[in-house]
Amino acid sequence: MNKDKVVILCGGRGRRLGKLSRALPKPLIPLGEKPILQHIVEFYMSHGFREFILCTGYLSESIEAFISRGNLGAKIEISNAGEDAGMLKRLFLVKDLIGNRAIVTYGDTFVNMDPNLVLKWHIKSRKNLTITIADIRSPFGIVKYDREQRVTLFEEKPLFSYYIGNFITDKAVLEDLDNNLISLPDGEGLIGLFNNLIDKGELTAYKHKGFNITFNTAQEWAKAEEDFIKFFTQEEG
């Protein structure tokens, strides 16, 4: 059993989901027959993790009611920072609930990777924070040009790496968070933190080559559910 805690960010409003998120917070929106939050918890439990912290906000009472039914078999703590808190503020408020480090993942993102391998990578790197990345190929030819619009580069459908909503952070990172960063909204604060760590040489990346899904709109959710069911049907077959 792994003693590191898994922190799941569950506080966003999910406005782009429209009516889907008016009655349910994003982590309780189902993929297949279960909320994505349940899939996430059960996945980490299958890899030996038993302690979780849910950073809630929007419709926190719905998540609390779901957890109170006790069907997940895990030790789960709730930290409700309110609807207006950004991700960094939510993380800052739980810094005293974790050990030396924590796995942080988003409540609307499922990544089929072995978290223990990522932990080993993080510890071996001796860096303060490790983000999980994956490759994506652009469907377009990418053009670069100078001030006079003379083309300086044309690259056909290049391969990029992108952040997939999962990272491991040392407790020291949360203890040293700048107040200005803490007050910023979700994306801005996290990008600011990552850039600060880059400047210090303290950010590393773990490349994931397997299945991962997330969703922000109703259309993306429908596609994510389809892909999720298809993936696990193939796994079981």
Side-chain angles (χ1 to χ4, degrees):
M1 184 177 71
N2 198 300
K3 294 183 179 180
D4 291 308
K5 293 186 179 182
V6 180
V7 179
I8 306 177
L9 295 168
C10 301
R13 292 175 181 268
R15 288 189 178 94
R16 284 182 286 171
L17 282 164
K19 64 181 181 180
L20 278 172
S21 61
R22 288 174 195 159
L24 283 176
K26 284 177 75 175
L28 294 188
I29 292 176
L31 286 181
E33 298 179 352
K34 301 176 184 177
I36 185 171
L37 176 61
Q38 184 170 348
H39 287 296
I40 295 168
V41 171
E42 289 177 348
F43 177 79
Y44 278 96
M45 289 182 67
S46 73
H47 287 278
F49 295 83
R50 293 292 181 273
E51 297 188 49
F52 299 81
I53 302 170
L54 306 188
C55 295
T56 62
Y58 177 67
L59 294 179
S60 177
E61 64 278 5
S62 297
I63 295 175
E64 292 169 31
F66 176 75
I67 296 302
S68 68
R69 297 176 196 139
N71 297 329
L72 299 182
K75 180 181 178 183
I76 298 177
E77 300 170 89
I78 302 286
S79 172
N80 181 4
E83 295 187 11
D84 297 325
M87 283 188 282
L88 286 189
K89 184 172 183 180
R90 298 184 198 285
L91 291 172
F92 180 75
L93 292 177
V94 302
K95 68 183 189 306
D96 294 328
L97 300 180
I98 66 173
N100 293 328
R101 60 184 169 265
I103 296 177
V104 180
T105 192
Y106 296 177
D108 60 0
T109 300
F110 183 90
V111 182
N112 184 44
M113 66 179 186
D114 186 341
N116 290 297
L117 293 181
V118 191
L119 274 169
K120 287 180 181 178
W121 173 277
H122 176 74
I123 293 168
K124 185 178 179 179
S125 76
R126 295 188 174 183
K127 303 302 181 185
N128 286 340
L129 196 146
T130 298
I131 57 174
T132 306
I133 62 172
D135 284 341
I136 186 170
R137 188 169 295 280
S138 170
F140 308 107
I142 300 302
V143 177
K144 292 184 179 180
Y145 54 90
D146 62 19
R147 292 182 179 180
E148 297 179 0
Q149 296 192 17
R150 291 177 299 195
V151 174
T152 58
L153 175 71
F154 183 95
E155 189 173 359
E156 177 65 8
K157 299 179 181 179
L159 194 66
F160 297 102
S161 294
Y162 71 105
Y163 166 59
I164 57 175
N166 183 287
F167 61 90
I168 296 175
T169 181
D170 289 349
K171 183 176 183 178
V173 173
L174 303 182
E175 291 177 327
D176 294 338
L177 279 177
D178 184 273
N179 286 331
N180 292 326
L181 284 180
I182 293 172
S183 63
L184 290 174
D186 284 345
E188 293 179 37
L190 201 60
I191 291 169
L193 172 62
F194 290 171
N195 282 323
N196 285 350
L197 292 171
I198 289 170
D199 291 341
K200 297 175 182 177
E202 290 295 338
L203 185 71
T204 186
Y206 178 90
K207 181 171 285 190
H208 173 60
K209 298 181 180 180
F211 179 73
N212 73 90
I213 55 168
T214 190
F215 55 88
N216 291 298
T217 67
Q219 291 79 13
E220 289 176 354
W221 166 70
K223 181 67 166 58
E225 184 172 42
E226 177 185 334
D227 292 345
F228 186 87
I229 293 171
K230 185 185 299 182
F231 175 79
F232 281 97
T233 299
Q234 291 171 350
E235 286 278 288
E236 293 167 2

